[in-house]
Amino acid sequence: MSEACTHDCSTCGASCAHRSKPEDFLAAPNPGAHIKKVIAVMSGKGGVGKSTVTSLLAVAMRRAGFRVGILDADITGPSIPRMFGLYGRPAANEQGIEPVRSANDIAIISLNLFAENDTDPVVWRGPVIASAVTQFWTDVVWGDIDYLFVDLPPGTGDVPLTVFQSLPIDGIVVVTSPQDLVSMIVAKAVNMATLMNVPVLGVVENFNRFRCPDCGSIHNIFGESRVAETAGEWGLPLLGSLPIDPALAQAADSGLLEETAETVELAPAVTTLKKLMEA
Ligand code: ADP
């Protein structure tokens, strides 16, 4: 340690014994938050159903009897409240901001809940967005939560980096569609996870097939899926495989996802998340 040391390692490149470890970047949770496991949900690009899968994972774990929350970190494309039919403003108490609660008591916080209209765009620069996400951790009175799902924006930019540095992430779930560049997406997620020292729990495949509602025949619209194979090559389990389901899209768009969510395909995810709690 030099004599000029300010004890602020973020402004100093010296490699000394006093250098703070990466975990020193962790933000302290709100005193009114007691969260056991934090699960980040990632995707390579937008539109693959990451927010839908985040919501379905939350619903599945809630149905399994756990206390669940969703932190919507997809600040510029926040869709979680709409899927649960939530439009009310979060209340505040002397400890901080209270999450809004879904019909089945899933605690949810999203920038959309603070907007005048949920169609208002968020026109903010990266650092401001990243600090809003951190505030969802430090300022929200989450209460007792077994699993907090963090819906990350697509890709590996500013916000995912802030989330991995500031929140104690216990595991990552990667969402991909069959036509996505699956091996590249999974490789990027695994490499980021390794850099951040967080385990990837597995992969959820979305839009994997279409069942004709008239004749019941199955169509692999995007060709034969290689998601399970690619996940296997990285030693990752397939945590679920969701078909293209117009009823699901309809339910999500009309705020009824929780009531109509078909969670059977996410059974391996539920098992994996339960094991994480026992570990
Ligand atoms: P992302 O978070 O990756 O941008 P979303 O979860 O917002 O994607 O989903 C994009 C759109 O696709 C939404 O309108 C959603 O309702 C729809 N969608 C997602 N998954 C499915 C599915 N399995 N079947 C039908 N529609 C889906």
Side-chain angles (χ1 to χ4, degrees):
M1 183 167 55
S2 86
E3 279 177 16
C5 179
T6 60
H7 303 281
D8 179 4
C9 301
S10 66
T11 61
C12 172
S15 173
C16 75
H18 296 269
R19 187 161 190 84
S20 35
K21 297 189 182 74
E23 54 263 37
D24 288 350
F25 288 111
L26 286 177
N30 184 278
H34 312 283
I35 299 167
K36 290 185 184 160
K37 298 289 172 196
V38 185
I39 311 297
V41 185
M42 290 182 82
S43 69
K45 64 176 188 204
V48 298
K50 172 185 50 59
S51 302
T52 308
V53 169
T54 304
S55 302
L56 291 172
L57 286 171
V59 172
M61 295 315 286
R62 183 74 197 111
R63 285 188 181 170
F66 295 96
R67 290 162 300 187
V68 175
I70 303 177
L71 188 163
D72 187 357
D74 195 352
I75 296 284
T76 54
S79 49
I80 301 280
R82 184 180 276 217
M83 290 183 189
F84 287 87
L86 298 174
Y87 297 94
R89 288 273 175 106
N93 62 32
E94 63 287 347
Q95 275 191 299
I97 302 160
E98 288 173 32
V100 172
R101 296 194 171 269
S102 74
N104 291 319
D105 207 22
I106 295 174
I108 295 171
I109 208 79
S110 167
L111 199 65
N112 250 8
L113 295 166
F114 297 90
E116 197 74 34
N117 304 297
D118 75 349
T119 49
D120 290 347
V122 176
V123 194
W124 291 352
R125 293 198 187 275
V128 183
I129 295 177
S131 81
V133 171
T134 312
Q135 274 184 276
F136 286 170
W137 176 253
T138 55
D139 295 4
V140 173
V141 190
W142 287 100
D144 292 328
I145 296 277
D146 296 316
Y147 296 94
L148 180 71
F149 293 93
V150 181
D151 185 24
L152 293 177
T156 51
D158 240 13
V159 171
L161 190 59
T162 300
V163 168
F164 286 123
Q165 286 186 328
S166 318
L167 273 58
I169 305 291
D170 293 287
I172 296 170
V173 173
V174 179
V175 181
T176 180
S177 59
Q179 89 278 25
D180 216 347
L181 299 165
V182 178
S183 57
M184 193 180 77
I185 302 301
V186 175
K188 277 193 183 182
V190 171
N191 289 335
M192 182 158 193
T194 308
L195 273 175
M196 297 292 155
N197 209 11
V198 177
V200 179
L201 301 175
V203 178
V204 174
E205 177 182 22
N206 194 21
F207 301 133
N208 113 309
R209 63 198 176 279
F210 178 71
R211 180 195 291 272
C212 173
D214 299 325
C215 68
S217 61
I218 305 285
H219 301 269
N220 290 324
I221 289 177
F222 301 118
E224 205 55 49
S225 170
R226 286 183 33 85
V227 174
E229 195 184 328
T230 307
E233 284 164 9
W234 286 92
L236 299 173
L238 189 63
L239 297 179
S241 205
L242 304 182
I244 297 171
D245 179 357
L248 181 65
Q250 170 71 35
D253 283 352
S254 50
L256 296 171
L257 183 103
E258 199 169 23
E259 283 74 9
T260 50
E262 174 56 74
T263 58
V264 175
E265 288 91 347
L266 288 171
V270 174
T271 307
T272 299
L273 289 169
K274 279 185 182 170
K275 274 197 193 136
L276 188 69
M277 191 66 87
E278 289 153 15

